């Protein structure tokens, strides 16, 4: 599973239907989960040792153009990497946050479980961090 969090969904609806201006975080960061969240939040982010969320630059050169498919997707052009980690755990998913610590989880994704041991490199190869959003209707209109 994967999804846009309620926080991001509310921001989108406030921009679309109300008077709020468009929301774009000043920076985005990738976090790894050892227990996946839900669209409501929660989950357990990796921690310990030298774990930190890397910042990924929001530039056209760093992310592919969203596809016209359903769902529309984008992916990273360059690798995203945690080198020589000093933490251990089983990574079950990842998410995009609007801050390096705490902040808001915007979108989350599950992945095949990856066991990480101290000394490993953890990496999304180019094209490996695929982001798809709004795979279900944002607004349901009753019949």
């Amino acid at each position: 599973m994967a999804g846009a969090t309620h926080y991001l969904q509310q921001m989108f609806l406030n921009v679309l239907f109300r008077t709020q201006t468009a929301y774009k975080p000043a920076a985005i960061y990738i976090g790894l989960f050892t227990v996946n969240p839900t669209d409501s939040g929660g989950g357990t982010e990796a921690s310990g040792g030298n774990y930190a969320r890397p910042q990924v630059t929001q530039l056209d050169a760093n992310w592919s153009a969203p596809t016209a498919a359903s769902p529309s997707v984008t992916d990273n052009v360059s690798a995203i990497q945690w080198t020589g980690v000093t933490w251990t755990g089983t990574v079950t998913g990842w998410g995009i946050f609007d801050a390096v610590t705490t902040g808001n989880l915007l979108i989350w994704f599950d992945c095949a479980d990856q066991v990480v041991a101290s000394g490993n490199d953890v990496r999304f190869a180019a094209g490996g961090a695929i982001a798809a959003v709004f795979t279900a209707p944002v607004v349901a209109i009753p019949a």
Side-chain angles (χ1 to χ4, degrees), residues 32-83:
L32 301 175
F33 290 104
T34 57
V35 175
N36 286 344
T38 66
D39 293 353
S40 298
T44 304
E45 190 172 359
S47 63
N50 64 349
Y51 175 78
R53 298 176 192 160
Q55 182 178 349
V56 290
T57 308
Q58 300 155 271
L59 295 173
D60 292 348
N62 295 345
W63 294 91
S64 65
T67 64
S70 181
S72 186
V73 300
T74 186
D75 60 15
N76 55 311
V77 172
S78 301
I80 301 168
Q81 186 162 305
W82 294 256
T83 304

Side-chain angles (χ1 to χ4, degrees), residues 104-118:
N104 298 294
L105 174 62
L106 304 174
I107 306 171
W108 67 276
F109 307 89
D110 59 4
C111 63
D113 290 1
Q114 299 294 315
V115 177
V116 177
S118 184

